[in-house]
């Protein structure tokens, strides 16, 4: 707590206290304004980055085109099993995929096929 000299008139003491409070309030407003401007600038930068990445994704060709999964290859409804390492649980859902008929490589106990996820089927379809 500030100790004021007793020889000063009370009006001077009151004015000094009010000036200190105003300065503190003004610096708080300036600080808040700077933080808000900084937040808005970071937000604008983030939005620009998202827009740039989205435009690159839209402009990309089909990444599966080079693997020649033919349009004549039939689409199949499959059950996809997904493991969540955070919860140590498996979940499953239905999806539609195209699978190449011939493996692109194999090993002693495996064959590897390229598979392209086409879509998630609607809930009401059978």
């Amino acid at each position: 707590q500030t100790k004021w000299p007793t020889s000063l008139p009370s009006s001077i003491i009151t004015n000094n206290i009010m000036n200190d409070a105003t300065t503190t309030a003004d610096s708080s407003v300036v600080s808040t304004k700077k933080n808000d401007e900084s937040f808005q600038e970071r937000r604008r930068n983030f939005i620009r980055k998202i827009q740039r990445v989205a435009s690159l994704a839209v402009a990309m060709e089909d990444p599966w085109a080079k693997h020649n999964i033919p349009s004549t290859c039939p689409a199949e409804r499959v059950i996809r099993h997904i493991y969540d390492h955070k919860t140590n649980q498996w979940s499953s859902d239905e999806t539609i995929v195209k699978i190449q008929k011939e493996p692109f490589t194999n090993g002693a106990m495996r064959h590897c096929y390229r598979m392209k996820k086409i879509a998630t089927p609607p809930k009401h379809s059978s």
Side-chain angles (χ1 to χ4, degrees):
Q1 191 172 30
T2 306
K3 295 201 175 213
W4 297 99
T6 54
S7 60
L8 291 174
S10 64
S11 63
I12 293 175
I13 294 172
T14 305
N15 287 339
N16 284 337
I17 292 172
M18 291 304 290
N19 287 340
D20 287 347
T22 304
T23 302
T24 303
D26 289 345
S27 66
S28 175
V29 168
V30 168
S31 174
T32 303
K33 196 175 213 179
K34 285 181 184 176
N35 288 341
D36 191 42
E37 288 171 1
S38 173
F39 170 77
Q40 291 300 328
E41 182 62 27
R42 288 192 318 269
R43 184 174 184 269
R44 282 190 294 273
N45 287 337
F46 177 73
I47 289 171
R48 278 193 292 264
K49 287 178 183 177
I50 293 295
Q51 288 171 337
R52 190 181 78 235
V53 169
S55 66
L56 289 173
V58 168
M60 278 179 56
E61 294 178 18
D62 182 9
W64 287 93
K66 65 183 177 187
H67 299 298
N68 194 23
I69 296 178
S71 59
T72 58
C73 184
E76 300 177 42
R77 184 181 296 259
V78 297
I79 296 175
R80 179 174 61 163
H81 298 278
I82 306 162
Y83 180 72
D84 184 353
H85 71 278
K86 292 178 184 174
T87 61
N88 292 330
Q89 292 185 341
W90 286 92
S91 63
S92 61
D93 64 355
E94 279 191 26
T95 191
I96 299 173
V97 298
K98 286 188 173 189
I99 303 173
Q100 279 185 327
K101 297 297 179 197
E102 298 297 319
F104 66 89
T105 191
N106 57 21
M109 299 179 70
R110 65 182 171 90
H111 290 280
C112 299
Y113 297 87
R114 287 193 178 90
M115 177 174 63
K116 180 179 180 182
K117 182 177 184 269
I118 304 298
T120 302
K123 296 287 183 194
H124 65 281
S125 68
S126 55

